[in-house]
Amino acid sequence: EKKATVQNASMASGGANVTGTRSTRSLAHRFSLCRRHARTFPAKKKKLMFTTRGDLRARSAQEGDKVSRSIQTRLVHMTDKLDDPFDSVAPPIYQTATFNQPGATDFGPYDYSRSGNPTRTLLENQMADIENADGAFAFASGMAAIATVMRLVKPGESVLAGNDIYGGTQRFLGKIAPNKQGLHVRHVDMTKVDEVRAALEEGAAEGNAPVKLVLIESPTNPRLEVCDIAAISAVAKEHGAVVCVDNSIMAPIFQRPIDLGADISMTSATKFIAGHSDVTGGILSVVGKDLCDEIYFHQNAEGNMMSPFECWLALRGLKTMALRMEKQAENAARIAAFLEAHPMVKRVNYAGLASHPNSALHASQASSGGSIISFETGSVEASRRIVEDTKLFKITVSFGSVTSLISMPCYMSHASVPAEIRRERGLVDDLVRISAGIESIEDLIGDLEQAFAGAEKAVAAGAQ
């Protein structure tokens, strides 16, 4: 009874001069704060302000100065802003499954987070803006995004993909697409536009399965081959095929496939977008209202979207993505030069090296060599020792983290690709892949030097 009297007195006085117990004072104080803050909210519900899918380009054209802003600035200053009464610098996270509706027969802008969430809308609209797309869609993983793209192809139709592609994509194309979806899958050397054209023409012949989707990686994972995105996109459109580019290695900082003619740009948010190895996600940036509508339909119907919390982490990651990627690419260029000069290395794959067979093509469609390198030693044992003897490089799948990463793809990220197919495509077991982080380049090269030295001694001792 005494506590209740103190609490009621506190409420009446606005929380001042509370003399009750600590727990009572705290409760009364919190109640008072809630009452004061509540008065700052508008009396009537206001809809959250967000951009409708497909309106980004039209709106950007009307905004004048924003069009000329660099991508670095656009990453920090979002295109869209929620109608937040507190105007927080960091966007709020809407960690909710459902939203209260205006009435029993009326819907607000959001009803269920599978169908849409304000935090996800912010991420999707910002990605669409920096990719120059009409819409973007955030998924639970890069493979969830790829799987959704595969829904664009109907049973009996064909998918055309490259020979050197991510292991998860290869697993989907090799086992799920033909066996579960009834699709025809064909692989060609995507570095040769003539092979792409021939495959498209063959599919267009009477009685054959028409190619409806062309999947491109450039640079490829893990051999860093470079494909002519603009030329392939042009040929594909002549034959009515949708072009999707897995742009995870370059991200929109260094390469924008939609500007090169692609219909869809897929970026793994797990990599450079989030950038800290603490998120899994994938983004599809899409051109054309019909294609946007179809992608959204599958995202909503199948429920493979990115969660609000991971969207929020990805939004935070976007702000520093340019800084991180520029430092990572700078480190990678130095590491590639070190590897190219080392006597134990037989081959270096890095799009930024002048010795890369398609370096000029890459420079014409991307602004940097990126931060992914792969190399061969000619010896599985030597490669294994190098990988295991490094101290600063984490032995892990994936790439794009602030931490430098190292792996042997044939035993990790591409282990699902059958050995005979790997051999057929030139994917050798001794291949080592490095994802350069943001550490001191002197420390990274010093670490590689000691790892190579140890591997050289071990291999020499084993040969005796």
Side-chain angles (χ1 to χ4, degrees):
E1 184 179 352
K2 183 177 180 181
K3 287 184 179 180
T5 302
V6 172
Q7 183 174 340
N8 290 336
S10 171
M11 292 177 183
S13 63
N17 301 318
V18 178
T19 58
T21 64
R22 179 176 180 181
S23 61
T24 304
R25 289 198 303 270
S26 177
L27 178 62
H29 183 62
R30 289 197 300 268
F31 184 87
S32 175
L33 286 177
C34 288
R35 291 182 65 191
R36 288 201 297 273
H37 289 166
R39 289 196 292 271
T40 68
F41 284 93
K44 187 177 180 181
K45 285 185 178 180
K46 292 179 67 177
K47 287 187 177 182
L48 296 168
M49 303 303 294
F50 65 99
T51 301
T52 304
R53 299 186 198 281
D55 289 347
L56 289 164
R57 286 182 173 176
R59 195 189 65 176
S60 294
Q62 296 169 1
E63 289 190 343
D65 62 322
K66 287 190 178 182
V67 178
S68 62
R69 289 176 182 169
S70 69
I71 192 169
Q72 290 86 349
T73 300
R74 287 154 66 195
L75 286 170
V76 176
H77 297 275
M78 292 187 294
T79 304
D80 295 291
K81 189 176 181 182
L82 296 175
D83 188 15
D84 174 10
F86 299 112
D87 202 18
S88 59
V89 174
I93 175 173
Y94 286 80
Q95 189 63 48
T96 183
T98 58
F99 300 83
N100 187 38
Q101 299 305 304
T105 59
D106 298 320
F107 276 93
Y110 298 95
D111 62 343
Y112 191 50
S113 278
R114 171 169 50 77
S115 303
N117 179 284
T119 311
R120 195 170 89 225
T121 297
L122 285 177
L123 174 62
E124 291 175 335
N125 285 351
Q126 188 168 16
M127 283 299 300
D129 176 54
I130 63 177
E131 292 260 37
N132 295 325
D134 292 321
F137 307 87
F139 294 86
S141 68
M143 280 312 305
I146 289 290
T148 300
V149 172
M150 297 297 291
R151 295 296 196 188
L152 302 174
V153 189
K154 298 175 182 177
E157 297 176 338
S158 289
V159 178
L160 187 62
N163 286 331
D164 187 42
I165 57 176
Y166 169 55
T169 305
Q170 179 59 59
R171 177 171 50 215
F172 193 103
L173 293 176
K175 295 184 178 181
I176 298 175
N179 301 328
K180 302 291 182 67
Q181 293 184 238
L183 309 182
H184 298 271
V185 178
R186 180 169 178 179
H187 295 274
V188 297
D189 184 349
M190 282 277 174
T191 66
K192 299 175 181 176
V193 179
D194 288 344
E195 284 196 23
V196 177
R197 184 187 299 275
L200 287 163
E201 290 175 350
E202 184 178 330
E206 187 175 352
N208 291 342
V211 175
K212 293 299 183 180
L213 175 65
V214 178
L215 293 176
I216 306 173
E217 288 186 22
S218 186
T220 62
N221 179 11
R223 291 191 293 143
L224 287 305
E225 295 179 338
V226 175
C227 309
D228 191 332
I229 297 173
I232 294 172
S233 296
V235 172
K237 287 182 179 179
E238 290 175 9
H239 292 82
V242 171
V243 175
C244 175
V245 178
D246 184 340
N247 195 42
S248 297
I249 286 181
M250 289 286 105
I253 296 297
F254 294 148
Q255 181 173 269
R256 287 183 281 283
I258 286 173
D259 290 349
L260 297 168
D263 301 292
I264 302 172
S265 175
M266 197 293 288
T267 309
S268 173
T270 311
K271 278 67 172 181
F272 297 104
I273 291 175
H276 294 75
S277 296
D278 54 8
V279 168
T280 56
I283 310 287
L284 295 179
S285 300
V286 184
V287 171
K289 182 182 183 302
D290 291 344
L291 205 52
C292 284
D293 289 345
E294 190 167 1
I295 293 293
Y296 174 69
F297 171 80
H298 286 289
Q299 183 193 50
N300 181 41
E302 298 178 29
N304 51 7
M305 69 291 166
M306 192 187 293
S307 73
F309 183 57
E310 291 190 305
C311 287
W312 186 83
L313 287 174
L315 280 166
R316 185 181 65 170
L318 282 174
K319 296 186 188 311
T320 60
M321 183 165 68
L323 286 173
R324 287 184 279 106
M325 291 191 69
E326 287 161 6
K327 174 61 176 175
Q328 288 165 310
E330 179 185 322
N331 282 352
R334 293 276 300 276
I335 292 171
F338 162 79
L339 293 170
E340 197 171 41
H342 201 284
M344 285 188 69
V345 176
K346 308 302 181 187
R347 177 189 177 95
V348 179
N349 304 308
Y350 179 61
L353 284 174
S355 58
H356 190 288
N358 281 327
S359 61
L361 172 60
H362 180 73
S364 72
Q365 61 188 21
S367 60
S368 169
S371 59
I372 313 301
I373 314 152
S374 63
F375 65 93
E376 302 170 19
T377 64
S379 165
V380 171
E381 179 59 19
S383 294
R384 184 186 69 81
R385 288 300 302 261
I386 292 166
V387 170
E388 293 180 355
D389 285 355
T390 57
K391 309 299 182 187
L392 298 177
F393 293 79
K394 303 296 184 184
I395 304 175
T396 177
V397 297
S398 198
F399 54 84
S401 175
V402 290
T403 304
S404 291
L405 312 174
I406 194 166
S407 67
M408 295 178 69
C410 289
Y411 298 91
M412 297 183 75
S413 59
H414 290 66
S416 62
V417 181
E420 62 275 13
I421 293 180
R422 294 201 305 264
R423 286 193 295 270
E424 189 179 292
R425 297 177 181 174
L427 183 53
V428 295
D429 288 350
D430 62 284
L431 187 75
V432 176
R433 187 184 71 187
I434 287 177
S435 172
I438 63 171
E439 302 94 338
S440 161
I441 187 58
E442 287 75 18
D443 290 339
L444 292 177
I445 290 180
D447 191 26
L448 288 171
E449 285 175 337
Q450 65 83 24
F452 270 91
E456 194 168 19
K457 288 180 182 178
V459 170
Q464 293 177 354

